[in-house]
Amino acid sequence: MTVEIKFCGAAGLVTGSSYLVSMAGGKFLIDCGMFQGTKTVRELNYDGFGYDPRDVTFALLTHAHIDHSGLLPKLYRQGFRGKVYTTEATKDLLEYMLPDSASIQEMEVRRINTQNRQRGLPPVEPIYTQEDVATCLGNIAYVEMDGWADLPLGVKARFWNAGHILGAASIELKIPGADGREVHILFSGDIGPENKMFYPAPESPHDVDYLLVESTYGDRQRQDTSLDARRERLRGEILKSDTARGNIIIPAFAVERTQELLMDLDWLMAQSKIPTLPLFIDSPLATKVTGVFEKHEKELQDLSGPHAFTGRNIHYVQSAAESKGLDLVKSGAIIMSASGMCDAGRIRYHLRNNLWNPAATVLFVGYQAEGTLGRFLQQGQKKVRIFGEEISVRARIASIETYSAHADQGELLAWVKARLPVRKNIFVIHGTDASRQGMVKNLTAHGIPLSLLVTPSIDDRFGLDTAGAAEKLGDGGARITRVEMAAVSDWHNDYARFVLDLAERLRGMRGAEERRALLADLARHVSGAVGGMHGRG
Ligand SMILES: [Zn+2]
């Protein structure tokens, strides 16, 4: 039997990273990530895997991010019983990240089922539960960062620092193929930028048969991201804030971004470049994850000092009651909380309590997806809804865009060039079609032949132990159209925006009569009595 690869996710989109390798004697997976983003994309999580998890012998995991690891518990729920091999730090992060992901699933399903009950629809099942997470966590084995590991099915694997987040690795594989031919592959995983805090620059071997490379920022070049430049920007934003009369609220992802910010703020305070302010970390997940960073402190660089994560003005907020207590802090504090895009979590309480205050600052340090509360604030909306309450936005809204865990276009190019020669093919994955096209253009402009490059679609299959280039064995099925549709636009977002605009318009009207007239007009459109698709000639 030949060695085959199937692109089960993160092909034509960024999330749902997962690749199935089939060979003599069995199958194994690289990553088993959750689809994240718009509702249309998230619906892919409820689909079948497209293979029987009981036929999979083992899995490899590049890093702990949920879009790479988040469907592992579902794999166990559906009968997988093999081991997941990854680095020790990734294993430690998963101990907290997977239970957190399960509670989010369970919460979402409770919400869907309340709606379904009201609409007379049958209930849906959660993608997985805490029980499935426990089974998964009991089956994770760790491998050392360097040196070859002997895995089942005669597969050999070597993990390399990818410089992306704690524990993140690129994975080099040697897979026994037909006629004694060995297939030598490198999976990039997610690649970090050159100046990433905590880790040395990414490392990996060169001279492989196949390279699979991510392309998240394949079409974007970032501004100066050196540690000093970034700290200077952060300092500027802190000094601009009126901390005598307001707080600084920082929505931050619990994993990696919180710890980077913590380190930068602690460093700026230690160097007296900003005033020493109390720093509250109000996210149970961020607190636990920071504990994992502390455990691995010896492997990290750029720390602001010994015990950097437990500086004396750093307060980890534990209970919900303690979090509520922060309502009484009206000024002079930096409050970091999750979720990073403000669509869930304790950050929403802090926004509710501080957005009205013109002396407060909300500082964004990460990407805000379309349709999230974070994006609405960045776009300058003057009114937002939080917990059903309408909040006037008077706080200063600022953004620093130089924090990133991903290599940009130039850094991806340099990483790929350092892997040459690649004997057979380079698969460009983990990017939208626009970012993949940008990356392909840039690679070919720098002398990498177009014939070497492949941009697979979701569910495509390729044979790998052929004498020449990879051979396409089958096209993806119906999911391709769904992924393409989701990439173009998501009507759910349009709908949410429309409802907000409508509410705004209605509030701005003088009286009930005028409001009723507008609603009646809309109702006529909806029932098709007016214009619509056919127009009025
Ligand atoms: Zn990642």
Side-chain angles (χ1 to χ4, degrees), residues 62-68 164-165 168 189-191 214 216 405-406 430:
T62 57
H63 65 290
H65 271 153
I66 291 298
D67 65 315
H68 290 254
H164 169 59
I165 64 163
D190 286 359
I191 305 286
E214 67 123 326
T216 316
H406 281 277
H430 200 283

